[in-house]
């Protein structure tokens, strides 16, 4: 059984806005040709110049931010990272944060007119750190959601491995909804159905497959999250901390109580970056889906927090 009958990507937004008691802003799909021939896609909420840029986690897409964006009520961009959503897959399968950040920088040069409050969840958080380190002119403040370069792979990321380990195609979207909910991803069933619908497509043979390249590279990509040993740390572990050490923008770490970042992970983050503001929210790893109103309230207070 399919989980939706309307194939418009914006068909869920009116009901979401009504449930939140907020007006529905204009929302449009943007597409940007990149120098190497690929295309970067994004959603733009509102008609004013964007003030906020949202970067999703691995295996997600820009629509993961829909409820948070509606609750926030600020003009913003939600970008499909390379290999996700409607953005092109990379032939070299390089989805490291520094590589992804190059595309984001190019997009912000074209689509924005002012430094952004950059909010990145999971892989998007490490991408945001790489962006802030290399292009500080584009980032006014950085909010990293439930990820650190040294996150313990024996906890949350193991669930990601289980989710994307395979198969990569399914008989129905309902099968995927059941799998997501059994592993603790998504919020309510209707929210999970929406997320699955917006992140999959039906092939000519009737099978359902993920839209993102990540599903086909899960084991390889998730292995990069392993911090390794003190003698041989992983590349992502080292580059992530190096990027964060170079960030000059005010930084906030959002830790989900039921997410991937443990108390010790957050303590290590703050030890390395003592000026970081740490906020704990009652949510799972996909905070933007399971605590969107609380996350939006936090984002609405920036930069007034003065952190």
């Amino acid at each position: 059984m399919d989980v939706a009958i309307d194939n418009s990507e914006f068909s869920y937004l009116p009901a979401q806005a009504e449930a939140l008691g907020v007006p529905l802003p204009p929302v449009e799909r943007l597409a940007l040709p990149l120098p190497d021939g690929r295309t970067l896609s994004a959603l733009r909420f509102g008609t004013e110049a964007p003030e906020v840029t949202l970067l999703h986690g691995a295996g997600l897409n820009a629509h993961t931010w829909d409820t948070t964006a509606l609750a926030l009520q600020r003009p913003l961009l939600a970008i499909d990272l390379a290999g996700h959503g409607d953005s092109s897959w990379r032939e070299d399968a390089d989805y490291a944060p520094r590589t992804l950040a190059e595309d984001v920088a190019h997009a912000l040069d074209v689509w924005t007119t002012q430094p952004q409050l950059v909010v990145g969840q999971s892989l998007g958080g490490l991408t945001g750190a790489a962006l802030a380190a290399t292009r500080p002119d584009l980032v006014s403040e950085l909010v990293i959601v439930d990820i650190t370069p040294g996150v313990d792979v024996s906890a949350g990321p193991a669930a990601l491995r289980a989710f994307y380990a395979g198969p990569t195609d399914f008989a129905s979207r309902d099968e995927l909804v059941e799998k997501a909910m059994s592993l603790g991803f998504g919020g309510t069933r209707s929210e999970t159905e929406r997320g699955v619908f917006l992140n999959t497509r039906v092939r000519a043979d009737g099978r359902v497959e993920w839209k993102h390249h990540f599903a086909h590279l899960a084991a390889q990509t998730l292995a990069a999250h392993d911090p390794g040993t003190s003698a041989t740390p992983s590349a992502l572990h080292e580059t992530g901390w190096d990027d964060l050490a170079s960030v000059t923008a005010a930084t906030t770490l959002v830790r989900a109580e039921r997410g991937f970042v443990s108390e010790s992970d957050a303590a290590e983050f703050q030890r390395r970056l003592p000026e970081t503001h740490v906020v704990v929210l009652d949510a799972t790893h996909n905070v933007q889906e399971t605590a969107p109103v609380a996350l939006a309230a936090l984002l609405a207070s920036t930069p007034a927090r003065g952190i």
Side-chain angles (χ1 to χ4, degrees), residues 111-189:
W111 287 333
T112 68
T113 60
Q114 64 191 72
Q116 299 289 289
L117 164 60
V118 173
V119 186
Q121 183 256 344
S122 200
L123 177 62
L126 298 178
T127 300
L131 174 71
T134 56
R135 289 292 306 274
D137 57 306
L138 296 175
V139 182
S140 61
E141 186 168 352
L142 177 64
V143 177
I144 298 174
V145 181
D146 208 50
I147 193 69
T148 75
V151 70
D152 179 8
V153 297
S154 68
L160 273 180
R161 282 195 179 90
F163 191 38
Y164 291 120
T168 57
D169 64 292
F170 304 84
S172 70
R173 287 189 170 110
D174 195 54
E175 184 180 344
L176 271 173
V177 171
E178 294 292 345
K179 186 173 183 179
M181 296 192 72
S182 71
L183 291 169
F185 294 104
T188 66
R189 184 174 184 87

Side-chain angles (χ1 to χ4, degrees), residues 26-279:
V27 184
E28 65 177 328
R29 170 70 64 179
L30 303 179
L32 179 68
L34 296 171
D36 63 1
R38 291 179 298 114
T39 298
L40 192 74
S41 188
L43 301 176
R44 179 165 63 191
F45 285 72
T47 56
E48 302 298 319
E51 303 170 354
V52 182
T53 292
L54 307 174
L55 306 176
H56 61 76
L60 300 175
N61 60 65
H63 279 294
T64 189
W65 297 103
D66 283 354
T67 307
T68 301
L70 291 172
L72 185 56
Q73 292 287 297
R74 288 174 69 178
L76 59 83
L77 292 171
I79 295 177
D80 281 335
L81 296 176
H84 296 75
D86 286 358
S87 291
S88 301
W89 293 8
R90 294 186 60 93
E91 291 185 2
D92 60 6
D94 180 3
Y95 298 114
R98 289 183 176 180
T99 302
L100 297 173
E102 293 177 7
D103 289 350
V104 175
H106 189 74
L108 297 187
D109 280 335
V110 175
W111 287 333
T112 68
T113 60
Q114 64 191 72
Q116 299 289 289
L117 164 60
V118 173
V119 186
Q121 183 256 344
S122 200
L123 177 62
L126 298 178
T127 300
L131 174 71
T134 56
R135 289 292 306 274
D137 57 306
L138 296 175
V139 182
S140 61
E141 186 168 352
L142 177 64
V143 177
I144 298 174
V145 181
D146 208 50
I147 193 69
T148 75
V151 70
D152 179 8
V153 297
S154 68
L160 273 180
R161 282 195 179 90
F163 191 38
Y164 291 120
T168 57
D169 64 292
F170 304 84
S172 70
R173 287 189 170 110
D174 195 54
E175 184 180 344
L176 271 173
V177 171
E178 294 292 345
K179 186 173 183 179
M181 296 192 72
S182 71
L183 291 169
F185 294 104
T188 66
R189 184 174 184 87
S190 62
E191 290 166 345
T192 306
E193 288 175 349
R194 181 179 69 242
V196 166
F197 176 74
L198 292 167
N199 208 16
T200 57
R201 58 190 168 211
V202 179
R203 298 190 316 215
D205 63 1
R207 299 284 291 178
V208 174
E209 68 176 3
W210 294 109
K211 292 175 71 174
H212 55 85
H213 202 186
F214 182 83
H216 303 269
L217 305 164
Q220 170 188 328
T221 307
L222 282 166
H225 282 277
D226 190 337
T229 67
S230 57
T232 58
S234 73
L236 182 58
H237 181 68
E238 288 299 283
T239 59
W241 288 124
D242 288 347
D243 288 340
L244 284 164
S246 300
V247 173
T248 56
T251 302
T252 298
L253 173 66
V254 176
R255 183 174 78 83
E257 285 188 339
R258 292 168 285 126
F260 292 176
V261 175
S262 66
E263 290 185 16
S264 60
D265 290 328
E268 174 65 8
F269 194 104
Q270 201 155 36
R271 184 190 71 78
R272 290 175 178 256
L273 302 160
E275 295 185 2
T276 298
H277 185 66
V278 178
V279 177

